[in-house]
Amino acid sequence: MIDDQLKNIAEQAKIDLKECLNQNDILNIRAKYLGKKSLVNSLYSQLRNLPEEERPSFGKKVNELRNELERMIDEKEKELKLQIVNAYDSVQANDLTLPGVYFPPGSLHPLTIIRRKMEDIFISLGFQIAEGPDIEDEYHNFDALNTPEDHPSRNLADTFYLDNGYLLRTQTSTVQVRTMESYPPPIYIISPGRCYRNDKPDPSHSPVFHQVEGLVVDKGISMADLKDTLQFFAKAMFGPEVKSRIRPHFFPFTEPSAEMDISCVSCQGKGCRICKNSGWLELAGAGMVDPSVLEMMGIDDQIYNGYAFGIGIERIAMLKYNIPDMRILYENDVRMLRQFSRELI
Amino acid sequence: MIVSTRWLSKYIDLPETLEELVQTLTFTGIEVEAIQEISALPETVVTARILNSEKIPGTEHLQVCIIDYGKEPLQVVCGAPNCRSGLITAFAQVGSKLPEMEIKKTIIHSVESAGMLCSEKELGISDNHSGIIELPPETPVGISINEIYELPDNILELEITPNRPDLLGYIGIARDLAASLNKRLKLPSINNYPGEEDSSLHLTLILQEPQKCPRYTARIIDGISVKESPLWLKNALIKSGLRPINNIVDITNYVMLETGQPLHAFDYHKLLPINQEDPHPAIIVRRAKAAEEFIALDGNKYLLDEEDLVIADGQRPSALAGIIGGKDTAISNHTTTIVLESANFSPSTIRKSSLRHKISTDSSYRFERHLSPAYLEMVSNRALELIINVAGGRVCNELYDAYPVPQKPLFLAVRPSRFEELIGYKLDASLINNYLQSLGFQYILCGLWQKEPINEYKLLPQAMELDLETSDNQIFFENPQLALYFLVPSYRVDITREADIIEELARLDGFDKIPQKKLIHPIMDWHAHHIKRKIEDYFRQSGFYEMINPSFIDPIKLEYLGEDKAELEKKLIRIVNPQSSNQSAMRTTMLPQLLDNLLYNLNHSERNLKLMEMGKLYWKDGNKNCETLHLTALMTGLNNLDHWKVKNEPIDLYNVKGVIEGLLDQLSITIDETKNVHHPWLVESDNLAYFCNNHLCASFGRLKAKTAERFNIDIITLKQDIWVLDFKVNTLIELTRTNKIEFSPLPKFPAVIRDISFLINFSVPYADIVKSIKLVEPYLIQDVKIFDEYRGKGVPDGWHSISLHIILQDYEKTLTEERVGQVIDSVIKMLENTWQIKMR
């Protein structure tokens, strides 16, 4: 009779397990057969009522049943888990051609992008960034830079003057002056910033524009260093194949003065519309710092010398991105800006 | 290398203070890793002889002793097992302050005791507490124990770089110090020991592996008595971190510490001959045989192979060369005759065997770093002298010396001009000579520089007439190829090129003498640079397009904004020669230009716009011109660009707040106050300004339709809000200038998150709810975050439902379920009491 009872329990468990569908069912079955108030446990309580001599064989049988049930339930559980894992790993019906979700970034202005590129290039060469005010006095903008009283650049037609006697800097060389006033050599700086000249806006002019100027004052600095630095910059900005040259020019605050050209980025020097068939593009004004500028700053020009250069950010941006008209840069059209959202900097 | 300054001072007069010594070592290139000062004992702890000792009846081991410490004999009670008549020991007089006690007159078992006989532990000298100190019988009584133990002393732990094996001995360190301090190196005088001819005590020495063992020397000493080492020897070893064993082993270790050259001693009579009939034992330097067994001093059995080099006798390995000796031939108390090995082994052989068998010893450590074979005889003689002094005996026969290929001399040239090129200042040729001489270099001649090292005297270039002491250094700079030739001491295996010599010179003359040629000034404001870039990147990443507008403005447009005309007049800087009236003043705000940009882009069918400009604003303050960096942004339209899966919502108050609060968070700026701004162009209700330490950082608001209209933008028809955001970039830069990110240790216990939802009156600000919750348990509640807000069906008018994550973290222990429950209960109670919330 007891054997039947055990057998029934086992049979019933088999049926239950067959109908078992998920983890929850397993839990219930485990409780029903093996838990505290389970069928198997109730068998153990029958043990007490049995005669002494039957107890060992009964106990053994119940234990065997218990082990068998445990085995069956574990096996079913494993099987269920495998089903779940297999289902998870099986093919899903997704259309992989539908676009993914991503939040598109905006864009920095190309002038900012170029400014940052230029800053990074010169920082890699050991330059520091120095900044100064846009609103300047005549001393820092002209006198200290060796510009004569009667120089045409001081005209109203060239320079914006303010109602309180100040003016808007016509170049960021003013920052060079201010740096030399505050720090003795060696000086290795660049000064990016806004400049103002009373030019009517046209494809290559804007009354407000941006510059990066550089200044080096140290012992043993020669024009060869300047040439090297400018060439490094040109290659870093436009690629290793770009050629550069410097040719004589005039600026009041450098002696000798030069302008730097690079081989045309559009036609590689063969001659085209952009370089006006010359094969060369003007990129920067530069030169050795005029001894009288150093002298005015209290720097002994027999011990120290230096070089300075100025590069227009708009010019670089237009050349690098092939923008035909400077005014496009100031329209702030997001359709233009969007084209630069993938720039690396 | 562990160094006692007392021991070191045998070879050089040390600087007055420990600080100076440490400083000199550090700047000579020997890093001092740890300093242990052993202080002196009171002068009242002296040597004393036990004249008489008697057991105190009724005690197990207490004895009453009469002692002589140079004054009146005293009675002392002692419990040490080794206390006995005639012993000379350490005696602490009444009143002595020992590390752990003060000695007082006491009565023990009714016996008066006037002081204490001490163990080393009681005096703080070592951990030995097995009995009272036993001093040699010849020790005079009544002298200070400090004298016996050489106290006070300082123990320095020095880091010796692997290129300087010559510094793995006291003399090497002293030599560097002497060169650096310009002091004389005091070397122990070393005698030669010709040895008495004794045909009965010969040795057969066979060197089979000259590649692995460039030189092997051996000496035989007969008639020694092996015993405990004298105190000075034991002390010296203990202070340098070695354990005393017996006088012979201790001397080999002492000499190793002194010279850097490891030595080994074999028991002569335990070495076997090659053939049984040979009258003399053999020493064969050979490769081990495959699977040859070797039992080392450490008691372990090692299975050797052909890559191992062994010192074998006629039959079996007696030592794993340069690493560890063998058990069978070790010195024992019965040893009377020893073979003293002073040998040189190739670093790679030692390194490989040491790695393979996982044995690292003081000996292998030194051989691995490449020692010179040139000084073996000298080191051997030094040990002989000590052995004869300490253990007695006589030296038999001559030095056995197998040195098939003697080391060649090395001559190197150093140019004073090159020193200047490389180090940056001129060093006098006479100083160069002095420094190198004190390092053991020998000056040969002055001649033209040659790059390749020279190994033979006759290959040296022609000498120039030059007296280094009196010569004008200028000659070396007029002729930069002029060089000084030196013979490199063979213990400096690291010096093989001119650059190595220049390094020595620069190091000894002191790196502090190197001039700072270019004083590059910190001109750049790196912090501002980084913050500006971070802000630019933040807006770009948040979907904004950057505008760049001229610095000019049309003054009329400022009036469009509703700014006060009189106020404007005070601050506006006008241009004397503008190109047109609408560009006739310096901008005091970027808003009008951005609104123009917005209109332009709206007119080009761009509806969802996020625009920003970071630029300068200009105004005058009396006579002063002011320029500050500012950022203004506009947001309008849908928040996300059109996407099939994302629900498109128009930009609302919280999107705008998110932009501002996200940036402030990114800059680690903690806002302590927010309040309304009263700009005439912003709608009164929907605007807010953010303050930190009373500084306005940022503000935002919804643009009035009336204002927009003046800029030709029809918000009503457009059906989208325009939001204006403003940041004072200068303020953001200054507020973050001293910010730093500091790692905080990760919590060891998991955080617990509990969610609560409740109904609360709409008038209660969320910020107040969060603040008050955090205050309930400030150390446990790390954060409170809202994850749902609901108004409408099921919620009474004027109320809303708020759902919060409450994040609890205990850094000390695991949070129990019970504790979490308590905290949440107090939070709920607080909310109920304060705002009569209704839990959901």
Side-chain angles (χ1 to χ4, degrees):
Chain A
M1 189 199 99
I2 282 164
D3 285 348
D4 286 349
Q5 202 181 342
L6 296 180
K7 209 173 163 190
N8 282 342
I9 292 177
E11 285 305 316
Q12 187 56 44
K14 270 181 200 158
I15 294 165
D16 283 356
L17 281 172
K18 205 172 249 174
E19 288 167 1
C20 167
L21 292 173
N22 53 38
Q23 197 64 32
N24 207 27
D25 293 347
I26 290 277
L27 282 178
N28 289 336
I29 292 170
R30 210 179 272 281
K32 177 173 170 191
Y33 291 96
L34 300 169
K36 261 186 191 162
K37 292 176 183 167
S38 64
L39 294 165
V40 171
N41 259 14
S42 70
L43 288 174
Y44 280 121
S45 56
Q46 288 179 28
L47 204 64
R48 256 175 285 139
N49 311 327
L50 286 175
E52 191 84 37
E53 64 278 10
E54 283 177 31
R55 284 186 196 173
S57 77
F58 177 78
K60 192 166 166 243
K61 279 177 189 163
V62 176
N63 277 342
E64 277 168 8
L65 172 69
R66 187 187 166 83
N67 291 341
E68 173 64 9
L69 287 172
E70 251 168 26
R71 193 193 56 74
M72 279 162 47
I73 296 172
D74 286 353
E75 198 172 276
K76 183 69 186 180
E77 190 174 17
K78 239 188 236 164
E79 187 189 313
L80 271 177
K81 265 193 186 147
L82 188 68
Q83 275 175 22
I84 293 165
V85 167
N86 282 341
Y88 180 86
D89 290 349
S90 71
V91 178
Q92 307 277 315
N94 283 327
D95 181 352
L96 292 174
T97 64
L98 278 167
V101 187
Y102 105 108
F103 192 84
S107 173
L108 294 179
H109 196 284
L111 292 177
T112 299
I113 295 170
I114 294 293
R115 190 202 79 226
R116 286 167 56 144
K117 274 183 198 276
M118 292 175 74
E119 286 172 356
D120 288 358
I121 291 168
F122 286 108
I123 285 172
S124 81
L125 286 176
F127 286 76
Q128 298 188 58
I129 296 175
E131 285 176 313
D134 295 15
I135 300 173
E136 269 293 2
D137 48 36
E138 291 223 34
Y139 173 77
H140 285 95
N141 199 66
F142 292 123
D143 302 346
L145 289 164
N146 205 28
T147 314
E149 283 286 348
D150 53 357
H151 193 275
S153 65
R154 296 200 186 209
N155 286 349
L156 281 173
D158 278 315
T159 302
F160 288 112
Y161 287 88
L162 302 176
D163 58 356
N164 55 6
Y166 287 85
L167 52 79
L168 294 172
R169 64 180 177 193
T170 57
Q171 70 261 314
T172 54
S173 311
T174 53
V175 181
Q176 302 180 5
V177 175
R178 288 180 177 277
T179 304
M180 284 190 280
E181 283 171 350
S182 309
Y183 299 97
I187 292 170
Y188 289 77
I189 56 155
I190 54 161
S191 42
R194 261 177 198 211
C195 306
Y196 306 82
R197 286 182 201 169
N198 204 343
D199 294 324
K200 289 282 176 220
D202 71 19
S204 56
H205 291 91
S206 165
V208 176
F209 62 100
H210 298 78
Q211 252 196 347
V212 172
E213 289 213 7
L215 171 73
V216 167
V217 183
D218 201 352
K219 286 177 191 164
I221 295 296
S222 70
M223 202 134 173
D225 298 307
L226 167 65
K227 211 172 150 178
D228 219 23
T229 305
L230 289 177
Q231 168 148 324
F232 178 89
F233 165 73
K235 286 183 187 292
M237 182 60 80
F238 293 105
E241 65 285 351
V242 159
K243 286 191 267 304
S244 62
R245 67 177 190 188
I246 57 171
R247 56 187 159 73
H249 197 72
F250 170 75
F251 300 108
F253 37 88
T254 47
E255 191 73 44
S257 300
E259 272 190 337
M260 185 242 200
D261 299 333
I262 57 165
S263 54
C264 179
V265 290
S266 172
C267 63
Q268 283 81 42
K270 289 186 214 69
C272 67
R273 186 183 50 81
I274 290 176
C275 60
K276 295 179 188 121
N277 282 321
S278 72
W280 294 96
L281 297 165
E282 182 195 323
L283 203 70
M288 301 305 290
V289 182
D290 194 290
S292 52
V293 172
L294 289 177
E295 200 183 320
M296 214 174 316
M297 293 298 117
I299 295 170
D300 187 340
D301 69 303
Q302 290 307 302
I303 300 176
Y304 292 101
N305 40 41
Y307 62 76
F309 57 82
I311 305 168
I313 299 178
E314 279 82 355
R315 173 100 181 132
I316 302 288
M318 289 166 72
L319 290 176
K320 187 158 178 72
Y321 299 125
N322 202 10
I323 297 171
D325 189 323
M326 198 182 283
R327 289 169 294 193
I328 293 173
L329 290 168
Y330 288 100
E331 277 172 0
N332 293 308
D333 190 320
V334 297
R335 295 168 303 173
M336 180 272 289
L337 294 166
R338 201 170 282 134
Q339 298 177 26
F340 296 95
S341 72
R342 289 173 190 84
E343 250 295 22
L344 298 179
I345 214 165
Chain B
M1 172 99 187
I2 296 168
V3 164
S4 134
T5 55
R6 279 273 190 157
W7 187 354
L8 190 60
S9 68
K10 287 190 165 77
Y11 313 106
I12 180 183
D13 293 330
L14 292 179
E16 293 270 307
T17 65
L18 180 62
E19 287 69 34
E20 269 177 86
L21 174 63
V22 169
Q23 178 88 355
T24 312
L25 283 167
T26 307
F27 286 97
T28 310
I30 304 172
E31 196 188 325
V32 180
E33 287 190 316
I35 302 169
Q36 185 201 346
E37 293 182 52
I38 309 179
S39 46
L41 288 163
E43 287 297 320
T44 50
V45 183
V46 295
T47 56
R49 182 191 307 275
I50 303 174
L51 297 174
N52 183 41
S53 70
E54 271 173 42
K55 207 172 156 211
I56 299 176
T59 68
E60 257 186 47
H61 47 252
L62 286 184
Q63 301 189 65
V64 54
C65 309
I66 305 299
I67 58 140
D68 168 14
Y69 72 108
K71 294 179 188 168
E72 299 274 287
L74 285 176
Q75 177 177 294
V76 178
V77 173
C78 179
N82 61 337
C83 174
R84 60 185 187 271
S85 295
L87 180 68
I88 297 195
T89 186
F91 169 59
Q93 299 171 41
V94 169
S96 303
K97 282 184 185 148
L98 299 187
E100 287 179 7
M101 67 187 106
E102 184 176 346
I103 306 300
K104 291 183 180 128
K105 194 174 259 189
T106 54
I107 292 171
I108 304 166
H109 273 264
S110 319
V111 182
E112 201 167 282
S113 180
M116 186 170 87
L117 303 179
C118 307
S119 70
E120 289 189 349
K121 189 177 181 195
E122 282 158 341
L123 296 182
I125 295 167
S126 80
D127 283 339
N128 188 348
H129 196 44
S130 60
I132 53 175
I133 291 171
E134 298 204 18
L135 295 171
E138 64 274 14
T139 314
V141 296
I143 61 167
S144 165
I145 286 292
N146 287 331
E147 211 169 300
I148 303 282
Y149 280 91
E150 303 195 314
L151 298 178
D153 200 349
N154 300 300
I155 306 301
L156 306 181
E157 212 176 296
L158 305 181
E159 191 202 335
I160 307 299
T161 50
N163 60 326
R164 295 296 305 273
D166 64 303
L167 295 181
L168 291 170
Y170 275 92
I171 291 177
I173 292 163
R175 186 185 293 114
D176 254 36
L177 277 176
S180 172
L181 294 166
N182 194 21
K183 285 190 175 159
R184 203 173 59 81
L185 180 65
K186 296 182 283 183
L187 290 174
S189 63
I190 296 171
N191 295 319
N192 263 327
Y193 289 87
E196 292 168 35
E197 174 63 26
D198 186 339
S199 57
S200 67
L201 290 173
H202 265 300
L203 182 73
T204 309
L205 173 61
I206 301 169
L207 173 55
Q208 290 185 352
E209 292 290 336
Q211 288 289 326
K212 289 174 177 285
C213 173
R215 187 180 186 187
Y216 194 95
T217 76
R219 267 341 263 270
I220 297 169
I221 308 118
D222 182 39
I224 54 142
S225 57
V226 178
K227 57 188 177 204
E228 203 179 330
S229 290
L231 207 56
W232 67 265
L233 180 51
K234 285 203 288 183
N235 279 336
L237 294 184
I238 290 169
K239 282 179 179 174
S240 286
L242 292 187
R243 194 168 50 89
I245 293 169
N246 60 45
N247 52 5
I248 299 298
V249 174
D250 291 353
I251 285 168
T252 59
N253 281 332
Y254 182 88
V255 175
M256 172 184 75
L257 291 176
E258 186 176 53
T259 63
Q261 166 70 40
L263 298 172
H264 185 64
F266 301 99
D267 186 330
Y268 175 86
H269 292 296
K270 288 184 184 155
L271 291 170
L272 301 175
I274 298 171
N275 297 307
Q276 260 180 334
E277 54 272 22
D278 284 356
H280 306 304
I283 282 187
I284 307 167
V285 184
R286 61 162 167 87
R287 285 169 186 261
K289 294 166 192 154
E292 195 167 24
E293 279 184 6
F294 167 64
I295 298 170
L297 276 171
D298 59 12
N300 295 330
K301 188 196 279 182
Y302 295 94
L303 213 54
L304 307 182
D305 66 32
E306 284 149 349
E307 285 306 302
D308 294 314
L309 185 72
V310 296
I311 312 303
D313 60 14
Q315 307 298 328
R316 62 211 164 143
S318 322
L320 186 53
I323 300 174
I324 193 166
K327 198 168 186 184
D328 296 339
T329 55
I331 307 299
S332 72
N333 286 346
H334 310 297
T335 303
T336 57
T337 312
I338 61 166
V339 175
L340 180 71
E341 166 197 291
S342 173
N344 184 260
F345 303 106
S346 85
S348 66
T349 304
I350 303 299
R351 191 175 308 121
K352 282 178 199 154
S353 286
S354 163
L355 270 176
R356 189 162 48 239
H357 300 296
K358 300 188 178 68
I359 325 171
S360 178
T361 60
D362 287 304
S363 170
S364 68
Y365 184 78
R366 286 172 171 80
F367 283 122
E368 275 174 16
R369 281 163 174 72
H370 196 177
L371 301 176
S372 162
Y375 308 96
L376 298 183
E377 184 176 2
M378 195 194 78
V379 176
S380 181
N381 284 337
R382 171 67 175 152
L384 289 185
E385 174 152 328
L386 291 173
I387 289 171
I388 289 164
N389 283 341
V390 167
R394 61 189 176 96
V395 182
C396 302
N397 303 321
E398 286 187 1
L399 176 79
Y400 296 88
D401 189 355
Y403 194 10
V405 188
Q407 205 181 14
K408 283 186 181 164
L410 173 65
F411 300 97
L412 283 178
V414 57
R415 289 163 294 172
S417 64
R418 183 64 185 155
F419 181 91
E420 190 194 7
E421 268 175 26
L422 206 58
I423 308 298
Y425 68 102
K426 287 189 167 98
L427 187 64
D428 281 0
S430 62
L431 267 178
I432 291 180
N433 188 29
N434 284 351
Y435 281 128
L436 292 177
Q437 299 262 19
S438 54
L439 283 179
F441 287 72
Q442 194 185 327
Y443 173 61
I444 307 294
L445 57 81
C446 173
L448 282 179
W449 185 69
Q450 191 182 322
K451 188 180 178 191
E452 296 309 317
I454 297 173
N455 290 114
E456 279 182 65
Y457 192 85
K458 62 173 193 232
L459 296 178
L460 286 167
Q462 203 183 353
M464 318 236 327
E465 286 287 330
L466 188 74
D467 181 354
L468 282 187
E469 294 306 317
T470 58
S471 91
D472 175 9
N473 278 291
Q474 206 43 43
I475 183 169
F476 292 102
F477 299 97
E478 280 161 11
N479 183 356
Q481 289 307 305
L482 207 54
L484 305 175
Y485 278 81
F486 287 91
L487 174 63
V488 179
S490 18
Y491 48 78
R492 290 305 302 271
V493 291
D494 58 313
I495 295 197
T496 57
R497 300 155 308 170
E498 183 187 37
D500 298 325
I501 294 190
I502 289 175
E503 180 192 48
E504 293 301 290
L505 294 170
R507 174 171 80 80
L508 291 175
D509 204 41
F511 281 5
D512 52 345
K513 295 225 179 79
I514 298 171
Q516 214 166 347
K517 252 191 175 169
K518 289 190 174 185
L519 242 162
I520 296 185
H521 305 277
I523 298 171
M524 181 167 176
D525 185 346
W526 277 103
H527 175 71
H529 179 73
H530 289 144
I531 294 285
K532 282 187 267 181
R533 286 215 172 177
K534 181 150 188 161
I535 294 174
E536 284 168 356
D537 290 337
Y538 174 83
F539 278 94
R540 190 188 89 92
Q541 211 52 46
S542 307
F544 283 78
Y545 288 95
E546 187 193 18
M547 309 281 110
I548 289 189
N549 290 295
S551 317
F552 307 135
I553 200 170
D554 186 347
I556 290 287
K557 298 210 169 156
L558 296 174
E559 286 172 35
Y560 289 172
L561 289 179
E563 290 211 53
D564 184 76
K565 226 174 163 178
E567 281 300 309
L568 271 179
E569 252 351 281
K570 264 191 249 165
K571 63 177 183 181
L572 215 52
I573 301 172
R574 287 181 193 272
I575 295 158
V576 174
N577 52 338
Q579 291 190 347
S580 64
S581 66
N582 61 18
Q583 299 208 333
S584 61
M586 298 303 286
R587 66 181 179 188
T588 54
T589 164
M590 291 180 278
L591 183 55
Q593 290 170 321
L594 282 166
L595 287 171
D596 287 346
N597 298 146
L598 186 73
L599 178 64
Y600 174 96
N601 283 296
L602 286 170
N603 288 344
H604 288 87
S605 309
E606 294 284 338
R607 293 292 300 270
N608 307 312
L609 288 163
K610 296 178 185 176
L611 310 180
M612 71 92 169
E613 178 169 8
M614 179 153 67
K616 281 181 178 177
L617 303 182
Y618 313 80
W619 73 94
K620 61 187 174 195
D621 183 3
N623 289 328
K624 218 172 83 203
N625 292 318
C626 302
E627 296 180 19
T628 58
L629 199 58
H630 211 83
L631 188 149
T632 301
L634 296 179
M635 294 170 77
T636 189
L638 298 171
N639 196 35
N640 286 312
L641 284 194
D642 219 13
H643 193 276
W644 60 277
K645 211 168 176 296
V646 181
K647 199 178 158 211
N648 252 330
E649 302 263 12
I651 291 164
D652 68 7
L653 175 73
Y654 299 105
N655 297 132
V656 178
K657 273 195 89 180
V659 171
I660 293 194
E661 288 164 13
L663 180 64
L664 294 173
D665 179 58
Q666 277 291 296
L667 299 177
S668 311
I669 292 174
T670 311
I671 293 302
D672 46 31
E673 191 190 356
T674 54
K675 59 185 176 204
N676 267 61
V677 272
H678 300 286
H679 287 316
W681 57 88
L682 294 180
V683 176
E684 264 304 310
S685 60
D686 289 344
N687 70 68
L688 203 61
Y690 292 77
F691 293 83
C692 171
N693 295 335
N694 295 321
H695 296 290
L696 174 62
C697 297
S699 64
F700 74 89
R702 187 156 55 83
L703 190 71
K704 282 182 180 166
K706 214 180 287 167
T707 309
E709 210 173 8
R710 296 202 187 108
F711 287 87
N712 302 320
I713 301 167
D714 184 351
I715 288 186
I716 308 304
T717 330
L718 195 62
K719 292 199 184 77
Q720 50 192 57
D721 298 337
I722 295 173
W723 296 89
V724 183
L725 297 79
D726 250 319
F727 296 85
K728 295 187 89 165
V729 179
N730 280 106
T731 307
L732 301 182
I733 290 170
E734 294 316 316
L735 283 172
T736 50
R737 201 169 277 286
T738 54
N739 277 4
K740 57 179 177 195
I741 306 279
E742 217 172 314
F743 170 76
S744 50
L746 303 178
K748 289 192 185 70
F749 308 99
V752 176
I753 302 178
R754 282 285 177 280
D755 295 344
I756 58 171
S757 294
F758 51 85
L759 297 176
I760 190 163
N761 194 295
F762 195 69
S763 64
V764 180
Y766 171 73
D768 291 358
I769 302 172
V770 171
K771 207 187 279 173
S772 61
I773 291 177
K774 283 185 177 170
L775 278 176
V776 170
E777 279 285 353
Y779 294 103
L780 287 184
I781 301 177
Q782 300 301 325
D783 208 356
V784 176
K785 282 182 188 161
I786 183 162
F787 67 91
D788 192 35
E789 190 262 357
Y790 175 74
R791 279 171 260 185
K793 210 174 158 196
V795 178
D797 262 2
W799 289 62
H800 62 165
S801 157
I802 294 256
S803 300
L804 302 174
H805 292 308
I806 297 178
I807 296 136
L808 299 123
Q809 170 83 61
D810 191 333
Y811 285 88
E812 307 292 323
K813 55 188 179 296
T814 307
L815 270 175
T816 60
E817 197 57 37
E818 199 189 344
R819 182 83 182 100
V820 173
Q822 281 172 4
V823 175
I824 298 299
D825 285 348
S826 337
V827 166
I828 292 168
K829 200 164 281 166
M830 180 279 298
L831 291 171
E832 282 168 345
N833 290 339
T834 321
W835 290 297
Q836 290 75 47
I837 61 147
K838 293 190 186 88
M839 290 302 293
R840 299 195 86 190

